[in-house]
Amino acid sequence: LLAGLCLICGAAWGQTAKNMSLIGQLSFQDGLADVVGYKGGNTEYALVGHESGVGIVSLANPANPVLLQDLPGINTIWRELDVYQNYCYIVNEGGDGLRIVNLANLPGNVSYKDTIINGMTTGHTLMVDGNRLYVYGADIDNGGVSIFSLANPWKPTHIGQFTTRYVHDAFVRNGTAYLGEINDGFMEIVNLSNATNPVSLGTVTTPSNFTHNTWLNAAGDVCFTTDEVNAAFIAAYDVSNPSNIVEISRVRSSLSAGQAIPHNVKVLNEYLVT
């Protein structure tokens, strides 16, 4: 359901849908950047990052999504979100630091605050893994990986960082990160378990040298990457041995005659949602 909402909210494409059917839709007055799901009780919610804030959308009736609350924020086309327990964490490239939203009161109004932690006022993307929050492309830590503890979810603390290279996005599972280092054109696998002493395990150059995002399969042995350029490939890599990363496949979109820009890829069961 949420995958369908992501695609519906993002854009309207003039081509026949494959393996999908429209359930419901909700329009915003400005552009959307990101959406993440949250389940409170028996109700699913979509948390929608848009240019001027974050929309809290009830999917209690999927055919009729309802905007419960819109949290205003600084205007920016980048606004990324992730969830830990009853909290949503949000970064953007306009300012105001890390926004923390307490979702426990849904479907009633939520509470939130903007925090500047260790001097961080902006970030490009983020991801939660375990009780840690990873922020990428921030205005601290040279734009690399900024690591925060969520031991107190309402008050994260900065506990480490990795690399002086710009990290655009990354997938993290069980402390192992798959970094998209877009300006340097490669994916880097890093053990971040020790936040004060991360260890690089291996790198691989992606097909178009503009590594935008990464996503790991459920088994943890294949990582998929995108390069954000015209006619680029989604590539698949065997990462079972991080010191010897091997490309095993690459594919272009059949819906665009291979000319599309593959922006983000995520794994959903046996599908890639791109």
Side-chain angles (χ1 to χ4, degrees):
L1 173 61
L2 186 59
L5 187 66
C6 291
L7 296 179
I8 294 159
C9 287
W13 300 99
Q15 45 201 5
T16 303
K18 290 191 174 183
N19 304 317
M20 302 188 76
S21 57
L22 176 63
I23 299 173
Q25 65 185 46
L26 177 67
S27 296
F28 284 75
Q29 297 302 309
D30 53 11
L32 306 192
D34 193 20
V35 60
V36 67
Y38 170 75
K39 188 171 184 180
N42 294 319
T43 302
E44 288 186 43
Y45 299 89
L47 312 178
V48 183
H50 59 97
E51 288 184 22
S52 58
V54 176
I56 313 294
V57 179
S58 171
L59 304 178
N61 177 3
N64 183 34
V66 175
L67 181 64
L68 299 179
Q69 191 175 352
D70 203 21
L71 314 180
I74 195 166
N75 197 273
T76 173
I77 63 172
W78 288 287
R79 183 169 271 107
E80 299 278 329
L81 316 89
D82 206 354
V83 170
Y84 174 69
Q85 296 180 355
N86 293 326
Y87 298 89
C88 180
Y89 300 91
I90 304 155
V91 293
N92 70 78
E93 290 204 347
D96 293 340
L98 176 71
R99 173 165 290 189
I100 308 171
V101 184
N102 187 340
L103 304 168
N105 196 46
L106 286 174
N109 283 351
V110 303
S111 58
Y112 64 97
K113 64 179 181 179
D114 294 321
T115 61
I116 296 177
I117 304 170
N118 215 50
M120 185 181 75
T121 63
T122 66
H124 187 66
T125 51
L126 78 171
M127 186 174 187
V128 172
D129 176 57
N131 66 347
R132 287 186 180 176
L133 170 68
Y134 299 92
V135 178
Y136 316 116
D139 59 351
I140 60 171
D141 300 328
N142 300 295
V145 181
S146 301
I147 309 171
F148 299 85
S149 168
L150 299 179
N152 180 346
W154 190 241
K155 192 177 181 181
T157 55
H158 183 272
I159 58 171
Q161 64 88 30
F162 175 75
T163 193
T164 58
R165 294 182 295 274
Y166 176 78
V167 176
H168 178 269
D169 203 356
F171 181 91
V172 189
R173 181 185 292 162
N174 298 326
T176 300
Y178 302 79
L179 311 184
E181 299 181 29
I182 193 167
N183 295 335
D184 295 276
F186 58 77
M187 173 179 70
E188 181 172 14
I189 304 178
V190 184
N191 185 339
L192 298 175
S193 299
N194 184 344
T196 60
N197 187 31
V199 177
S200 178
L201 304 176
T203 64
V204 64
T205 300
T206 53
S208 296
N209 303 108
F210 205 62
T211 319
H212 184 265
N213 99 301
T214 66
W215 207 271
L216 197 64
N217 70 341
D221 58 353
V222 177
C223 189
F224 301 91
T225 66
T226 57
D227 288 298
E228 192 188 7
V229 297
N230 286 319
F233 291 94
I234 303 166
Y237 296 91
D238 181 341
V239 293
S240 54
N241 178 2
S243 65
N244 182 32
I245 304 168
V246 178
E247 182 182 324
I248 53 178
S249 182
R250 58 174 71 179
V251 65
R252 287 187 175 115
S253 168
S254 62
L255 295 176
S256 69
Q259 297 307 301
I261 300 173
H263 186 248
N264 285 321
V265 63
K266 295 185 179 183
V267 176
L268 177 65
N269 301 324
E270 298 304 312
Y271 291 90
L272 297 182
V273 180
T274 309

